[in-house]
Amino acid sequence: MAARATRLIAYIVFAFGLAMSLAARVQGLALPSRIVSLVPALTEMLYAIGAGPQVIAVSSYDDYPPEVRKLPRVGALLDPDTERILAMRPDLVLLYGSQESLIGQFQRAGIGAFSYRHGDLSHIIATVRRLGEVTGHVPEATRVSGEIEQHLDEIRRRVAGRVRPRTLVVFGRERLTLRNLYASGGRGFIHDMLGVAGGADVFAEVDRESVQVSTETLLARAPDAIVELHVGAMPSVEQQRKEKNVWLQLESIPAVRNGRVYLLYGDHLVVPGPRVARATEEIARVLHPGAFK
Amino acid sequence: MTSALAVQRPIRARLTTTIVGFGMLVIGACVLAPLVGSTRINLIRAFDRTIPFSNNVDAQIFFVARLPRVLAGVVVGAALASAGAVMQALFRNPLATPETLGVSAGAALGAILAITLGSPLAFGPFSPVPLASLAGALAAIAIVYMLASAPRRVLSTAILLLAGVTLNAFISAVILFVQYMADFTQSYRAIRWLIGDLDVGAYMPIVATIPFLIIAFAIFATLASSLNLLSLGADVAATRGIDVANAQRLAFVSASLATSAAVSLAGPIAFVGIIVPHLVRLMVGVDHRIVLPASAMFGASFLVGCDLVARTVIAPIELPVGIITAVVGGPFFLWLLVRRG
């Protein structure tokens, strides 16, 4: 009797334990409904895959899509407002891989942390898919990542077989001079975008995401085309002309001599998010206008 | 040993020796530096007038990239080193630098505001960032000057120093605040500006600094003897018939003017202003009639030399020259100190 009772109790305890642990697992798998994103590129991805309504706060640099401007801002890479984020009771925080102490803090608080670092073009597509899994939007994420891939393939197809100009991609310099000029090196999504757009990177062999380029190196590398990616709104035509004319002092550069210096404007050009294919097409269109007729 | 001998020789002869010696160093640096770089160029082609300039890559590298860079090194090195020598004499303090009075900090604030606000303001040969940094430096000079010169009183170096240190701290805090509010890429460019570099890529920015430097150097030339007495103390100088207040004011304004011009051209390149005057004193003694021209010339060749290292040591990537000045100058200075001590 006593043995049967003991066994029964053991079964009950085991079953209860199993049920509890299953419940815990299910809770762990529950989809996040209160997401805080500290990385603008990831915010854009969330909105693109339909996870926008789950987002409750964004970083101070977020301004795309326009909906995010109404959300609270809780700091960014260097100045995240941890207390405020915790007070919002998020169940998932998206942050940059270098914010290690913050990741630990959230984990100790029992909040999921999705850590991310910039990478190459394929990494953007993989991140969209991963976000789809984490937020419960797998079909949309598959569709969005598929669309980006298709768009990139379409660009590749259009520029295929054309002469690839040796191209310098500039993503920062002092105004109205060529000082403190930063260009894309042979690694990272901007380098990849140039490759898809039908350009050959003049710094392809430099294994860095960005290179600070001196006047001498600009002259020595002699690019056939120069594409400048400017963050922010497009300035007046007069201002654009002035910025372009700065290059005239280096007229031995083929790109300058042949009028192949292109200034592109817009934040999407340098955000590794879902608009990356659109940015790639803009680069392709200036490098190979004939391919888009 | 040489300086002990030198003391007995008349100032004229010593000045000639110094100018010839250091002058050869400057000429040597200026001739050698443009020949070497991250790329190999064909010098015969560079000077070949029959090839149109717009097609001649070698000539463009030589005349558009390297030569302005070397000349910027000469101008900035000479300005910072002699301004450092004047400041050290003015404050009777071996740790005084051209930056001590907040001139560089003011220039930095100007530059960083122009970078973060994306100022499109340009004026004549000045592009927006140098223009803003020059304005910032001049504003800082004006503030320190007003703080330190109460009416009809000798300019107190102690007050001047404290005002400078306070202004430095205050402006640095404002810079941090602006950087904190700026976006990430702007912060990065601001930090890069703070390291300083000489790749000016044109002659106009250098020409633009010349008027300031002519005024500053002309004042330095008249100040040398007064500085000798001032470095013994204001009281001693006054008993020898020096108008102390006037000399101090001139020293402060001229050194600040030279620093403003240098910093607006190349950013706050560290270490040249403090180390070169000391190196020079270890070599030629303490007479400012010798120290000032020697500092200017040695500063010029030192900075050109450091920049040569900066742009070739890990080519094609170029290091900021500010890193090299301290890395090369530091151990050299320690070695000289130990050897002399």
Side-chain angles (χ1 to χ4, degrees), chain A residues 61 79 173 175 177 179 182 212 214-216 219-220 249 251-252 257, chain B residues 39 54-55 60 66 118 120 127 180 182 189 192 197 199 201 265 318:
Chain A
Y61 297 139
D79 59 341
R173 62 172 165 88
R175 279 217 163 176
T177 73
R179 298 187 67 180
Y182 282 88
Q212 202 206 346
S214 66
T215 316
E216 171 160 348
L219 288 164
Q249 55 185 305
E251 55 185 339
S252 80
R257 236 184 7 241
Chain B
T39 19
S54 60
N55 287 332
Q60 289 225 324
R66 288 187 192 168
S127 62
Y180 203 70
R189 272 155 60 199
R192 185 62 194 77
D197 91 311
D199 186 22
L265 180 61
E318 302 196 0

PDB file of all heavy atoms in Angstrom, chain A residues 61 79 173 175 177 179 182 212 214-216 219-220 249 251-252 257, chain B residues 39 54-55 60 66 118 120 127 180 182 189 192 197 199 201 265 318:
ATOM      1  N   TYR A  61      19.293  57.586 -32.852  1.00  0.00           N
ATOM      2  CA  TYR A  61      19.622  57.873 -34.254  1.00  0.00           C
ATOM      3  C   TYR A  61      18.556  57.378 -35.220  1.00  0.00           C
ATOM      4  O   TYR A  61      18.659  57.562 -36.425  1.00  0.00           O
ATOM      5  CB  TYR A  61      20.960  57.229 -34.633  1.00  0.00           C
ATOM      6  CG  TYR A  61      22.113  57.766 -33.846  1.00  0.00           C
ATOM      7  CD1 TYR A  61      23.106  56.927 -33.367  1.00  0.00           C
ATOM      8  CD2 TYR A  61      22.208  59.123 -33.573  1.00  0.00           C
ATOM      9  CE1 TYR A  61      24.174  57.420 -32.646  1.00  0.00           C
ATOM     10  CE2 TYR A  61      23.257  59.626 -32.849  1.00  0.00           C
ATOM     11  CZ  TYR A  61      24.248  58.775 -32.381  1.00  0.00           C
ATOM     12  OH  TYR A  61      25.297  59.265 -31.670  1.00  0.00           O
ATOM     13  N   ASP A  79      25.539  55.587 -25.365  1.00  0.00           N
ATOM     14  CA  ASP A  79      24.833  56.178 -24.231  1.00  0.00           C
ATOM     15  C   ASP A  79      23.455  55.559 -24.003  1.00  0.00           C
ATOM     16  O   ASP A  79      22.472  56.272 -23.904  1.00  0.00           O
ATOM     17  CB  ASP A  79      24.701  57.689 -24.429  1.00  0.00           C
ATOM     18  CG  ASP A  79      23.951  58.028 -25.722  1.00  0.00           C
ATOM     19  OD1 ASP A  79      23.864  57.137 -26.594  1.00  0.00           O
ATOM     20  OD2 ASP A  79      23.458  59.148 -25.847  1.00  0.00           O
ATOM     21  N   ARG A 173      34.211  63.029 -45.714  1.00  0.00           N
ATOM     22  CA  ARG A 173      35.369  63.915 -45.831  1.00  0.00           C
ATOM     23  C   ARG A 173      34.959  65.269 -45.292  1.00  0.00           C
ATOM     24  O   ARG A 173      33.778  65.534 -45.102  1.00  0.00           O
ATOM     25  CB  ARG A 173      35.851  64.024 -47.275  1.00  0.00           C
ATOM     26  CG  ARG A 173      34.831  64.615 -48.238  1.00  0.00           C
ATOM     27  CD  ARG A 173      35.471  64.855 -49.589  1.00  0.00           C
ATOM     28  NE  ARG A 173      34.524  65.094 -50.645  1.00  0.00           N
ATOM     29  CZ  ARG A 173      34.027  66.294 -50.971  1.00  0.00           C
ATOM     30  NH1 ARG A 173      34.370  67.347 -50.261  1.00  0.00           N
ATOM     31  NH2 ARG A 173      33.174  66.433 -51.955  1.00  0.00           N
ATOM     32  N   ARG A 175      34.071  69.135 -45.310  1.00  0.00           N
ATOM     33  CA  ARG A 175      33.365  69.904 -46.324  1.00  0.00           C
ATOM     34  C   ARG A 175      34.291  70.776 -47.153  1.00  0.00           C
ATOM     35  O   ARG A 175      35.218  71.372 -46.620  1.00  0.00           O
ATOM     36  CB  ARG A 175      32.360  70.818 -45.633  1.00  0.00           C
ATOM     37  CG  ARG A 175      31.116  70.091 -45.270  1.00  0.00           C
ATOM     38  CD  ARG A 175      29.974  71.011 -45.472  1.00  0.00           C
ATOM     39  NE  ARG A 175      28.745  70.281 -45.535  1.00  0.00           N
ATOM     40  CZ  ARG A 175      27.568  70.874 -45.625  1.00  0.00           C
ATOM     41  NH1 ARG A 175      27.504  72.180 -45.641  1.00  0.00           N
ATOM     42  NH2 ARG A 175      26.486  70.163 -45.699  1.00  0.00           N
ATOM     43  N   THR A 177      36.729  70.355 -48.946  1.00  0.00           N
ATOM     44  CA  THR A 177      38.132  69.987 -49.137  1.00  0.00           C
ATOM     45  C   THR A 177      38.178  68.470 -49.274  1.00  0.00           C
ATOM     46  O   THR A 177      37.187  67.793 -49.057  1.00  0.00           O
ATOM     47  CB  THR A 177      39.029  70.349 -47.936  1.00  0.00           C
ATOM     48  OG1 THR A 177      38.734  69.436 -46.873  1.00  0.00           O
ATOM     49  CG2 THR A 177      38.855  71.749 -47.455  1.00  0.00           C
ATOM     50  N   ARG A 179      40.147  66.747 -47.358  1.00  0.00           N
ATOM     51  CA  ARG A 179      40.875  66.329 -46.157  1.00  0.00           C
ATOM     52  C   ARG A 179      40.057  65.350 -45.334  1.00  0.00           C
ATOM     53  O   ARG A 179      38.846  65.331 -45.394  1.00  0.00           O
ATOM     54  CB  ARG A 179      41.230  67.563 -45.321  1.00  0.00           C
ATOM     55  CG  ARG A 179      42.141  68.499 -46.077  1.00  0.00           C
ATOM     56  CD  ARG A 179      42.620  69.599 -45.196  1.00  0.00           C
ATOM     57  NE  ARG A 179      43.496  69.095 -44.145  1.00  0.00           N
ATOM     58  CZ  ARG A 179      44.053  69.872 -43.226  1.00  0.00           C
ATOM     59  NH1 ARG A 179      43.824  71.152 -43.239  1.00  0.00           N
ATOM     60  NH2 ARG A 179      44.830  69.358 -42.303  1.00  0.00           N
ATOM     61  N   TYR A 182      37.502  59.456 -45.962  1.00  0.00           N
ATOM     62  CA  TYR A 182      37.375  58.031 -45.652  1.00  0.00           C
ATOM     63  C   TYR A 182      36.725  57.316 -46.821  1.00  0.00           C
ATOM     64  O   TYR A 182      35.745  57.790 -47.385  1.00  0.00           O
ATOM     65  CB  TYR A 182      36.537  57.820 -44.391  1.00  0.00           C
ATOM     66  CG  TYR A 182      37.328  58.105 -43.157  1.00  0.00           C
ATOM     67  CD1 TYR A 182      37.398  59.384 -42.634  1.00  0.00           C
ATOM     68  CD2 TYR A 182      38.061  57.099 -42.548  1.00  0.00           C
ATOM     69  CE1 TYR A 182      38.163  59.665 -41.521  1.00  0.00           C
ATOM     70  CE2 TYR A 182      38.836  57.358 -41.441  1.00  0.00           C
ATOM     71  CZ  TYR A 182      38.880  58.646 -40.930  1.00  0.00           C
ATOM     72  OH  TYR A 182      39.643  58.904 -39.841  1.00  0.00           O
ATOM     73  N   GLN A 212      41.463  55.530 -44.358  1.00  0.00           N
ATOM     74  CA  GLN A 212      41.626  56.968 -44.471  1.00  0.00           C
ATOM     75  C   GLN A 212      42.621  57.232 -45.580  1.00  0.00           C
ATOM     76  O   GLN A 212      43.708  56.666 -45.597  1.00  0.00           O
ATOM     77  CB  GLN A 212      42.111  57.596 -43.168  1.00  0.00           C
ATOM     78  CG  GLN A 212      41.754  59.068 -43.180  1.00  0.00           C
ATOM     79  CD  GLN A 212      42.634  59.922 -42.342  1.00  0.00           C
ATOM     80  OE1 GLN A 212      43.390  59.445 -41.518  1.00  0.00           O
ATOM     81  NE2 GLN A 212      42.557  61.208 -42.565  1.00  0.00           N
ATOM     82  N   SER A 214      44.964  59.532 -48.133  1.00  0.00           N
ATOM     83  CA  SER A 214      45.671  60.803 -48.314  1.00  0.00           C
ATOM     84  C   SER A 214      45.579  61.234 -49.769  1.00  0.00           C
ATOM     85  O   SER A 214      45.246  60.441 -50.656  1.00  0.00           O
ATOM     86  CB  SER A 214      47.136  60.626 -47.941  1.00  0.00           C
ATOM     87  OG  SER A 214      47.735  59.745 -48.859  1.00  0.00           O
ATOM     88  N   THR A 215      45.900  62.493 -50.000  1.00  0.00           N
ATOM     89  CA  THR A 215      45.902  63.024 -51.366  1.00  0.00           C
ATOM     90  C   THR A 215      46.796  62.179 -52.262  1.00  0.00           C
ATOM     91  O   THR A 215      46.447  61.862 -53.395  1.00  0.00           O
ATOM     92  CB  THR A 215      46.429  64.474 -51.341  1.00  0.00           C
ATOM     93  OG1 THR A 215      45.815  65.154 -50.252  1.00  0.00           O
ATOM     94  CG2 THR A 215      46.106  65.195 -52.615  1.00  0.00           C
ATOM     95  N   GLU A 216      47.963  61.821 -51.716  1.00  0.00           N
ATOM     96  CA  GLU A 216      48.907  61.040 -52.523  1.00  0.00           C
ATOM     97  C   GLU A 216      48.309  59.707 -52.950  1.00  0.00           C
ATOM     98  O   GLU A 216      48.419  59.298 -54.106  1.00  0.00           O
ATOM     99  CB  GLU A 216      50.187  60.801 -51.714  1.00  0.00           C
ATOM    100  CG  GLU A 216      51.114  59.829 -52.402  1.00  0.00           C
ATOM    101  CD  GLU A 216      52.546  59.924 -51.920  1.00  0.00           C
ATOM    102  OE1 GLU A 216      52.871  60.894 -51.217  1.00  0.00           O
ATOM    103  OE2 GLU A 216      53.329  59.040 -52.277  1.00  0.00           O
ATOM    104  N   LEU A 219      45.762  60.064 -55.709  1.00  0.00           N
ATOM    105  CA  LEU A 219      46.396  60.250 -57.020  1.00  0.00           C
ATOM    106  C   LEU A 219      47.002  58.946 -57.518  1.00  0.00           C
ATOM    107  O   LEU A 219      46.885  58.592 -58.687  1.00  0.00           O
ATOM    108  CB  LEU A 219      47.483  61.326 -56.922  1.00  0.00           C
ATOM    109  CG  LEU A 219      46.985  62.758 -56.774  1.00  0.00           C
ATOM    110  CD1 LEU A 219      48.113  63.665 -56.310  1.00  0.00           C
ATOM    111  CD2 LEU A 219      46.412  63.259 -58.093  1.00  0.00           C
ATOM    112  N   ALA A 220      47.640  58.212 -56.600  1.00  0.00           N
ATOM    113  CA  ALA A 220      48.342  56.995 -57.000  1.00  0.00           C
ATOM    114  C   ALA A 220      47.356  55.901 -57.427  1.00  0.00           C
ATOM    115  O   ALA A 220      47.617  55.154 -58.351  1.00  0.00           O
ATOM    116  CB  ALA A 220      49.219  56.504 -55.859  1.00  0.00           C
ATOM    117  N   GLN A 249      41.138  69.820 -58.237  1.00  0.00           N
ATOM    118  CA  GLN A 249      42.565  70.005 -57.948  1.00  0.00           C
ATOM    119  C   GLN A 249      43.362  68.719 -58.216  1.00  0.00           C
ATOM    120  O   GLN A 249      44.570  68.769 -58.323  1.00  0.00           O
ATOM    121  CB  GLN A 249      42.759  70.471 -56.505  1.00  0.00           C
ATOM    122  CG  GLN A 249      42.120  69.562 -55.484  1.00  0.00           C
ATOM    123  CD  GLN A 249      42.225  70.101 -54.067  1.00  0.00           C
ATOM    124  OE1 GLN A 249      43.299  70.390 -53.598  1.00  0.00           O
ATOM    125  NE2 GLN A 249      41.102  70.240 -53.393  1.00  0.00           N
ATOM    126  N   GLU A 251      43.309  66.687 -60.987  1.00  0.00           N
ATOM    127  CA  GLU A 251      42.772  66.402 -62.316  1.00  0.00           C
ATOM    128  C   GLU A 251      43.462  65.248 -63.030  1.00  0.00           C
ATOM    129  O   GLU A 251      42.986  64.806 -64.069  1.00  0.00           O
ATOM    130  CB  GLU A 251      42.802  67.668 -63.170  1.00  0.00           C
ATOM    131  CG  GLU A 251      44.178  68.279 -63.251  1.00  0.00           C
ATOM    132  CD  GLU A 251      44.186  69.602 -64.012  1.00  0.00           C
ATOM    133  OE1 GLU A 251      43.242  69.839 -64.792  1.00  0.00           O
ATOM    134  OE2 GLU A 251      45.132  70.361 -63.822  1.00  0.00           O
ATOM    135  N   SER A 252      44.565  64.755 -62.466  1.00  0.00           N
ATOM    136  CA  SER A 252      45.179  63.607 -63.143  1.00  0.00           C
ATOM    137  C   SER A 252      44.402  62.319 -62.864  1.00  0.00           C
ATOM    138  O   SER A 252      44.623  61.311 -63.503  1.00  0.00           O
ATOM    139  CB  SER A 252      46.644  63.440 -62.730  1.00  0.00           C
ATOM    140  OG  SER A 252      46.733  62.805 -61.476  1.00  0.00           O
ATOM    141  N   ARG A 257      39.033  63.736 -64.535  1.00  0.00           N
ATOM    142  CA  ARG A 257      39.216  64.208 -65.915  1.00  0.00           C
ATOM    143  C   ARG A 257      38.003  63.894 -66.774  1.00  0.00           C
ATOM    144  O   ARG A 257      37.605  64.671 -67.611  1.00  0.00           O
ATOM    145  CB  ARG A 257      40.454  63.550 -66.498  1.00  0.00           C
ATOM    146  CG  ARG A 257      41.448  64.541 -66.987  1.00  0.00           C
ATOM    147  CD  ARG A 257      42.671  63.964 -67.663  1.00  0.00           C
ATOM    148  NE  ARG A 257      42.685  62.555 -67.896  1.00  0.00           N
ATOM    149  CZ  ARG A 257      43.601  61.731 -67.378  1.00  0.00           C
ATOM    150  NH1 ARG A 257      44.517  62.204 -66.572  1.00  0.00           N
ATOM    151  NH2 ARG A 257      43.591  60.465 -67.681  1.00  0.00           N
TER     152      ARG A 257
ATOM    153  N   THR B  39      53.874  55.956 -52.329  1.00  0.00           N
ATOM    154  CA  THR B  39      53.978  55.435 -53.694  1.00  0.00           C
ATOM    155  C   THR B  39      55.335  55.778 -54.261  1.00  0.00           C
ATOM    156  O   THR B  39      55.961  56.753 -53.843  1.00  0.00           O
ATOM    157  CB  THR B  39      52.934  56.101 -54.629  1.00  0.00           C
ATOM    158  OG1 THR B  39      52.488  57.305 -54.021  1.00  0.00           O
ATOM    159  CG2 THR B  39      51.780  55.201 -54.908  1.00  0.00           C
ATOM    160  N   SER B  54      47.835  67.947 -66.263  1.00  0.00           N
ATOM    161  CA  SER B  54      46.620  67.211 -65.892  1.00  0.00           C
ATOM    162  C   SER B  54      46.746  65.717 -66.175  1.00  0.00           C
ATOM    163  O   SER B  54      45.978  64.916 -65.651  1.00  0.00           O
ATOM    164  CB  SER B  54      45.409  67.784 -66.626  1.00  0.00           C
ATOM    165  OG  SER B  54      45.616  67.673 -68.008  1.00  0.00           O
ATOM    166  N   ASN B  55      47.729  65.316 -67.013  1.00  0.00           N
ATOM    167  CA  ASN B  55      47.901  63.883 -67.283  1.00  0.00           C
ATOM    168  C   ASN B  55      49.058  63.281 -66.518  1.00  0.00           C
ATOM    169  O   ASN B  55      49.279  62.081 -66.561  1.00  0.00           O
ATOM    170  CB  ASN B  55      48.187  63.668 -68.783  1.00  0.00           C
ATOM    171  CG  ASN B  55      46.945  63.884 -69.602  1.00  0.00           C
ATOM    172  OD1 ASN B  55      45.839  63.686 -69.099  1.00  0.00           O
ATOM    173  ND2 ASN B  55      47.118  64.313 -70.838  1.00  0.00           N
ATOM    174  N   GLN B  60      51.647  65.386 -60.338  1.00  0.00           N
ATOM    175  CA  GLN B  60      50.556  65.736 -59.412  1.00  0.00           C
ATOM    176  C   GLN B  60      50.836  65.218 -58.011  1.00  0.00           C
ATOM    177  O   GLN B  60      50.571  65.902 -57.026  1.00  0.00           O
ATOM    178  CB  GLN B  60      49.238  65.185 -59.935  1.00  0.00           C
ATOM    179  CG  GLN B  60      48.763  65.946 -61.170  1.00  0.00           C
ATOM    180  CD  GLN B  60      47.287  66.286 -61.096  1.00  0.00           C
ATOM    181  OE1 GLN B  60      46.493  65.517 -60.583  1.00  0.00           O
ATOM    182  NE2 GLN B  60      46.928  67.433 -61.617  1.00  0.00           N
ATOM    183  N   ARG B  66      52.531  65.906 -52.157  1.00  0.00           N
ATOM    184  CA  ARG B  66      53.667  65.898 -51.216  1.00  0.00           C
ATOM    185  C   ARG B  66      54.173  67.282 -50.833  1.00  0.00           C
ATOM    186  O   ARG B  66      54.399  67.560 -49.664  1.00  0.00           O
ATOM    187  CB  ARG B  66      54.811  65.081 -51.814  1.00  0.00           C
ATOM    188  CG  ARG B  66      54.494  63.606 -51.791  1.00  0.00           C
ATOM    189  CD  ARG B  66      55.692  62.807 -52.229  1.00  0.00           C
ATOM    190  NE  ARG B  66      55.308  61.418 -52.475  1.00  0.00           N
ATOM    191  CZ  ARG B  66      56.085  60.547 -53.076  1.00  0.00           C
ATOM    192  NH1 ARG B  66      57.290  60.912 -53.475  1.00  0.00           N
ATOM    193  NH2 ARG B  66      55.671  59.317 -53.258  1.00  0.00           N
ATOM    194  N   GLY B 118      27.714  70.684 -39.700  1.00  0.00           N
ATOM    195  CA  GLY B 118      27.832  70.662 -41.148  1.00  0.00           C
ATOM    196  C   GLY B 118      27.861  72.066 -41.725  1.00  0.00           C
ATOM    197  O   GLY B 118      27.247  72.346 -42.743  1.00  0.00           O
ATOM    198  N   PRO B 120      28.435  75.160 -43.832  1.00  0.00           N
ATOM    199  CA  PRO B 120      28.938  75.347 -45.191  1.00  0.00           C
ATOM    200  C   PRO B 120      29.698  76.657 -45.346  1.00  0.00           C
ATOM    201  O   PRO B 120      30.096  77.016 -46.442  1.00  0.00           O
ATOM    202  CB  PRO B 120      27.654  75.363 -46.016  1.00  0.00           C
ATOM    203  CG  PRO B 120      26.637  75.944 -45.108  1.00  0.00           C
ATOM    204  CD  PRO B 120      27.076  75.704 -43.678  1.00  0.00           C
ATOM    205  N   SER B 127      38.432  76.817 -45.918  1.00  0.00           N
ATOM    206  CA  SER B 127      37.251  75.966 -46.034  1.00  0.00           C
ATOM    207  C   SER B 127      36.573  75.941 -44.665  1.00  0.00           C
ATOM    208  O   SER B 127      37.136  76.421 -43.681  1.00  0.00           O
ATOM    209  CB  SER B 127      37.645  74.583 -46.535  1.00  0.00           C
ATOM    210  OG  SER B 127      38.512  73.969 -45.635  1.00  0.00           O
ATOM    211  N   TYR B 180      28.994  64.142 -27.761  1.00  0.00           N
ATOM    212  CA  TYR B 180      28.018  63.207 -27.213  1.00  0.00           C
ATOM    213  C   TYR B 180      26.704  63.317 -27.964  1.00  0.00           C
ATOM    214  O   TYR B 180      26.031  62.338 -28.235  1.00  0.00           O
ATOM    215  CB  TYR B 180      27.809  63.532 -25.736  1.00  0.00           C
ATOM    216  CG  TYR B 180      27.297  62.372 -24.937  1.00  0.00           C
ATOM    217  CD1 TYR B 180      28.118  61.277 -24.691  1.00  0.00           C
ATOM    218  CD2 TYR B 180      26.013  62.366 -24.439  1.00  0.00           C
ATOM    219  CE1 TYR B 180      27.667  60.203 -23.967  1.00  0.00           C
ATOM    220  CE2 TYR B 180      25.545  61.293 -23.704  1.00  0.00           C
ATOM    221  CZ  TYR B 180      26.377  60.220 -23.469  1.00  0.00           C
ATOM    222  OH  TYR B 180      25.917  59.153 -22.748  1.00  0.00           O
ATOM    223  N   ALA B 182      26.444  64.449 -31.021  1.00  0.00           N
ATOM    224  CA  ALA B 182      26.624  64.298 -32.475  1.00  0.00           C
ATOM    225  C   ALA B 182      26.354  62.868 -32.891  1.00  0.00           C
ATOM    226  O   ALA B 182      26.332  61.963 -32.058  1.00  0.00           O
ATOM    227  CB  ALA B 182      28.047  64.674 -32.850  1.00  0.00           C
ATOM    228  N   ARG B 189      34.766  61.664 -37.058  1.00  0.00           N
ATOM    229  CA  ARG B 189      35.538  62.660 -37.792  1.00  0.00           C
ATOM    230  C   ARG B 189      36.077  63.726 -36.858  1.00  0.00           C
ATOM    231  O   ARG B 189      37.185  64.242 -37.052  1.00  0.00           O
ATOM    232  CB  ARG B 189      34.678  63.271 -38.893  1.00  0.00           C
ATOM    233  CG  ARG B 189      34.791  62.440 -40.161  1.00  0.00           C
ATOM    234  CD  ARG B 189      33.615  62.572 -41.054  1.00  0.00           C
ATOM    235  NE  ARG B 189      33.393  63.935 -41.488  1.00  0.00           N
ATOM    236  CZ  ARG B 189      32.225  64.353 -41.971  1.00  0.00           C
ATOM    237  NH1 ARG B 189      31.220  63.522 -42.032  1.00  0.00           N
ATOM    238  NH2 ARG B 189      32.083  65.569 -42.368  1.00  0.00           N
ATOM    239  N   ARG B 192      39.096  62.356 -35.248  1.00  0.00           N
ATOM    240  CA  ARG B 192      40.177  62.343 -36.222  1.00  0.00           C
ATOM    241  C   ARG B 192      40.784  63.735 -36.357  1.00  0.00           C
ATOM    242  O   ARG B 192      42.007  63.876 -36.457  1.00  0.00           O
ATOM    243  CB  ARG B 192      39.624  61.843 -37.562  1.00  0.00           C
ATOM    244  CG  ARG B 192      40.661  61.664 -38.619  1.00  0.00           C
ATOM    245  CD  ARG B 192      41.675  60.620 -38.179  1.00  0.00           C
ATOM    246  NE  ARG B 192      42.857  60.675 -39.031  1.00  0.00           N
ATOM    247  CZ  ARG B 192      43.804  61.595 -38.935  1.00  0.00           C
ATOM    248  NH1 ARG B 192      43.741  62.544 -38.015  1.00  0.00           N
ATOM    249  NH2 ARG B 192      44.837  61.570 -39.743  1.00  0.00           N
ATOM    250  N   ASP B 197      46.490  66.416 -38.712  1.00  0.00           N
ATOM    251  CA  ASP B 197      47.256  65.857 -39.823  1.00  0.00           C
ATOM    252  C   ASP B 197      47.676  66.956 -40.782  1.00  0.00           C
ATOM    253  O   ASP B 197      47.160  68.073 -40.732  1.00  0.00           O
ATOM    254  CB  ASP B 197      46.472  64.767 -40.541  1.00  0.00           C
ATOM    255  CG  ASP B 197      45.638  65.302 -41.682  1.00  0.00           C
ATOM    256  OD1 ASP B 197      44.908  66.288 -41.477  1.00  0.00           O
ATOM    257  OD2 ASP B 197      45.727  64.744 -42.778  1.00  0.00           O
ATOM    258  N   ASP B 199      47.999  66.587 -44.279  1.00  0.00           N
ATOM    259  CA  ASP B 199      47.674  66.343 -45.686  1.00  0.00           C
ATOM    260  C   ASP B 199      46.704  67.419 -46.178  1.00  0.00           C
ATOM    261  O   ASP B 199      45.512  67.186 -46.299  1.00  0.00           O
ATOM    262  CB  ASP B 199      47.076  64.949 -45.839  1.00  0.00           C
ATOM    263  CG  ASP B 199      46.864  64.597 -47.302  1.00  0.00           C
ATOM    264  OD1 ASP B 199      47.543  65.207 -48.146  1.00  0.00           O
ATOM    265  OD2 ASP B 199      46.036  63.742 -47.593  1.00  0.00           O
ATOM    266  N   GLY B 201      46.713  69.057 -49.112  1.00  0.00           N
ATOM    267  CA  GLY B 201      46.304  68.812 -50.497  1.00  0.00           C
ATOM    268  C   GLY B 201      46.199  70.047 -51.383  1.00  0.00           C
ATOM    269  O   GLY B 201      45.687  69.956 -52.490  1.00  0.00           O
ATOM    270  N   LEU B 265      45.292  75.054 -39.453  1.00  0.00           N
ATOM    271  CA  LEU B 265      45.787  74.395 -40.661  1.00  0.00           C
ATOM    272  C   LEU B 265      45.861  72.879 -40.489  1.00  0.00           C
ATOM    273  O   LEU B 265      45.484  72.131 -41.388  1.00  0.00           O
ATOM    274  CB  LEU B 265      47.180  74.942 -41.012  1.00  0.00           C
ATOM    275  CG  LEU B 265      47.858  74.357 -42.254  1.00  0.00           C
ATOM    276  CD1 LEU B 265      47.021  74.629 -43.492  1.00  0.00           C
ATOM    277  CD2 LEU B 265      49.251  74.934 -42.435  1.00  0.00           C
ATOM    278  N   GLU B 318      48.137  55.586 -43.865  1.00  0.00           N
ATOM    279  CA  GLU B 318      48.980  56.628 -43.302  1.00  0.00           C
ATOM    280  C   GLU B 318      48.574  56.917 -41.868  1.00  0.00           C
ATOM    281  O   GLU B 318      47.407  57.094 -41.574  1.00  0.00           O
ATOM    282  CB  GLU B 318      48.866  57.888 -44.151  1.00  0.00           C
ATOM    283  CG  GLU B 318      49.254  57.598 -45.582  1.00  0.00           C
ATOM    284  CD  GLU B 318      49.529  58.850 -46.372  1.00  0.00           C
ATOM    285  OE1 GLU B 318      49.413  59.933 -45.800  1.00  0.00           O
ATOM    286  OE2 GLU B 318      49.870  58.720 -47.549  1.00  0.00           O
TER     287      GLU B 318
END
